[in-house]
């Protein structure tokens, strides 16, 4: 019996506890209820009565050594320096690095911004929560214009003393803000999210992105507008795109046009995406309406300007062959991982 105790004592002394795992193994082997120390204690009753107190003492000492060892290890592992050295456990599998990447919408927006930046445009932003006044009135929307209808606009508060508040339906209110805050010449682009209360489908969503441009200076003409858009389209969609300007209407521009590029998927031959027409609509544009300039304190006799506004998401869908616009807004990592940096 003494021999068994002695050899267990040596074993315990030699046991090296280097980390929490060792500690657990130690406890499990020696000090738990069914451990080896307990096993020796249970043999005590078969020991001759006269030798029992002596052996009992030896056993108690053994138990004490083991407990002290556990206590010391516990203290060491919970001190800050110990925890640091613990942090490197070479037996653990390696940790994989995940690198983020740009969302495809931001990628395309980035390219667009770059192109206009090189042409001398600076970037202006404004709030997504807008005043009805900036989103509609200042932009020369008549009070009964259908775009103000509840169908299209998410109103946030109505009957506010400071004016109704809504989620902007286009980036044009940023133009208003820029014109109110700056004297011409003005040359800005306004990228951002816009909101419309439309039926949601694979082709349209309640949120999307626009990039708007505004240029105001002396003697700005429609020819300047065309040249700028042409230069942009060649850089964005390829050097052999052709452009088509169709007369159109916006309350805030006069004259107004919608711009098509030759379908860059079929090269203008006609395909499913361009509905066999060979053309894709990319933006609305026009010369800034004199009323808008006056509303913003700019004299339309001295200054003239153009504005254009384009949707960003459709270009993203076509470029990356994504067939559902909702995928751009769901933040599903399985989708995003397909666009590594
Ligand atoms: N704001 C218009 C829209 O959302 C686009 C546009 C901007 C048209 C600037 C002309 C000039 O439809």
């Amino acid at each position: 019996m003494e021999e068994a105790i002695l050899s267990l004592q040596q074993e315990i002394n030699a046991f090296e506890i280097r980390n929490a795992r060792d500690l657990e193994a130690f406890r499990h082997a020696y000090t738990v209820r069914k451990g080896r120390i307990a096993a020796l204690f249970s043999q005590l009753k078969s020991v001759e009565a006269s030798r029992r107190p002596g052996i009992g003492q030896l056993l108690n000492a053994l138990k004490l050594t083991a407990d002290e060892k556990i206590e010391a290890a516990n203290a060491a592992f919970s001190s800050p320096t110990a925890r640091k050295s613990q942090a490197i456990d070479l037996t653990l599998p390696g940790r994989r690095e995940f690198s983020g990447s740009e969302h495809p919408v931001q990628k395309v927006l980035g390219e667009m911004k770059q192109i206009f930046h090189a042409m001398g445009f600076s970037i202006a932003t404004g709030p997504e929560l807008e005043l009805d006044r900036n989103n509609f009135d200042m932009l020369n929307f008549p009070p009964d214009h259908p775009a103000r209808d509840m169908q299209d606009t998410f109103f946030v508060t109505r009957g506010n003393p400071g004016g109704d508040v809504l989620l902007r339906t286009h980036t044009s209110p940023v133009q208003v803000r820029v014109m109110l805050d700056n004297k011409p010449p003005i040359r800005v682009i306004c990228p951002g999210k816009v909101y419309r209360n439309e039926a949601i489908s694979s082709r349209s969503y309640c949120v999307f992105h626009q990039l708007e441009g505004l240029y105001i200076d002396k003697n700005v003409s429609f020819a300047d507008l065309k040249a700028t858009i042409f230069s942009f389209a060649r850089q964005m969609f390829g050097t052999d795109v052709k452009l088509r300007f169709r007369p159109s209407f916006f309350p805030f521009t006069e004259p107004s046009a919608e711009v098509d590029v030759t379908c860059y998927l079929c090269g203008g031959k006609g395909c499913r995406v361009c509905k066999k027409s060979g053309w894709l609509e990319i933006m609305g544009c026009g010369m800034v309406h004199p009323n808008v300039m006056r509303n913003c304190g700019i004299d339309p006799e001295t200054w003239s300007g153009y504005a254009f506004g384009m949707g960003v998401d459709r270009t993203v869908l076509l470029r990356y062959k994504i067939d559902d616009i909702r995928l751009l807004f769901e933040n599903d990592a399985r989708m995003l991982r397909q666009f590594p940096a």
Side-chain angles (χ1 to χ4, degrees):
M1 186 77 183
E2 282 96 332
E3 241 167 72
I5 295 172
L6 207 63
S7 100
L8 197 56
Q9 180 85 52
Q10 276 166 357
E11 204 180 309
I12 286 173
N13 286 343
F15 197 109
E16 247 188 278
I17 302 179
R18 277 163 314 202
N19 53 38
R21 226 192 267 178
D22 292 347
L23 177 58
E24 201 41 42
F26 181 84
R27 268 181 9 84
H28 195 75
Y30 305 112
T31 68
V32 291
R33 210 152 45 83
K34 290 192 172 157
R36 293 173 58 190
I37 295 176
L40 286 179
F41 268 108
S42 67
Q43 287 173 31
L44 200 55
K45 44 183 180 311
S46 52
V47 170
E48 220 177 287
S50 64
R51 291 176 56 217
R52 229 175 268 162
I55 292 188
Q57 251 172 11
L58 283 179
L59 272 176
N60 280 332
L62 178 67
K63 177 81 166 62
L64 196 67
T65 328
D67 286 346
E68 276 170 2
K69 205 161 162 135
I70 289 174
E71 222 167 280
N74 265 331
F77 295 155
S78 58
S79 80
T81 46
R83 241 182 279 124
K84 210 179 269 171
S85 69
Q86 267 290 101
I88 304 172
D89 181 348
L90 298 177
T91 63
L92 285 175
R95 220 174 267 153
R96 200 139 75 83
E97 294 267 332
F98 289 101
S99 54
S101 61
E102 238 180 351
H103 191 283
V105 170
Q106 293 309 319
K107 253 186 211 175
V108 168
L109 253 177
E111 271 176 50
M112 292 176 167
K113 287 189 216 169
Q114 192 76 46
I115 294 171
F116 285 112
H117 182 70
M119 290 195 252
F121 286 80
S122 47
I123 296 178
T125 54
E128 291 168 23
L129 212 51
E130 250 305 357
L131 289 169
D132 184 299
R133 189 178 346 119
N134 291 340
N135 196 80
F136 293 128
D137 299 320
M138 297 286 272
L139 289 163
N140 199 37
F141 278 79
D144 52 357
H145 195 281
R148 291 168 175 255
D149 202 288
M150 282 297 269
Q151 269 196 353
D152 298 313
T153 309
F154 288 113
F155 287 96
V156 177
T157 53
R158 305 197 88 165
N160 214 27
D164 290 349
V165 176
L166 44 74
L167 287 170
R168 67 181 181 195
T169 59
H170 51 178
T171 43
S172 306
V174 186
Q175 281 188 38
V176 172
R177 288 172 176 272
V178 170
M179 284 191 275
L180 287 171
D181 291 348
N182 298 278
K183 287 190 170 41
I186 290 169
R187 184 150 44 180
V188 291
I189 52 168
C190 323
K193 281 199 187 85
V194 301
Y195 300 81
R196 289 196 197 167
N197 193 357
E198 280 169 13
I200 290 170
S201 72
S202 61
R203 300 177 53 114
S204 77
Y205 197 56
C206 49
V207 196
F208 54 99
H209 298 81
Q210 281 191 340
L211 184 139
E212 185 125 347
L214 173 70
Y215 177 39
I216 296 182
D217 205 335
K218 288 187 172 138
N219 303 315
V220 178
S221 71
F222 205 98
D224 296 320
L225 169 62
K226 279 179 99 167
T228 305
I229 293 177
F230 189 49
S231 169
F232 164 76
R234 282 167 55 96
Q235 293 177 71
M236 192 71 205
F237 303 111
T239 44
D240 31 57
V241 292
K242 292 197 187 68
L243 287 189
R244 183 167 82 169
F245 285 73
R246 283 179 288 110
S248 185
F249 172 81
F250 300 102
F252 38 91
T253 47
E254 180 59 35
S256 305
E258 274 168 294
V259 185
D260 301 336
V261 291
T262 38
C263 177
Y264 44 85
L265 296 175
C266 63
K269 286 197 277 296
C271 66
R272 202 176 55 89
V273 174
C274 61
K275 299 207 187 82
K276 301 259 184 287
S277 71
W279 296 97
L280 293 172
E281 188 199 315
I282 55 162
M283 65 171 84
C285 65
M287 303 306 292
V288 181
H289 198 292
N291 286 351
V292 176
M293 291 219 198
R294 270 191 289 268
N295 290 343
C296 299
I298 294 174
D299 180 7
E301 302 298 324
T302 313
W303 305 97
S304 57
Y306 63 69
F308 56 84
M310 68 184 97
V312 177
D313 311 76
R314 186 160 177 231
T315 298
V316 177
L317 299 184
L318 293 179
R319 154 96 55 101
Y320 297 110
K321 304 201 164 40
I322 300 170
D323 59 7
D324 192 326
I325 188 171
R326 289 169 287 198
L327 287 167
L328 299 181
F329 296 92
E330 284 168 351
N331 282 335
D332 187 330
R334 290 169 303 178
M335 203 287 273
L336 299 176
R337 265 190 223 116
Q338 295 174 46
F339 300 90

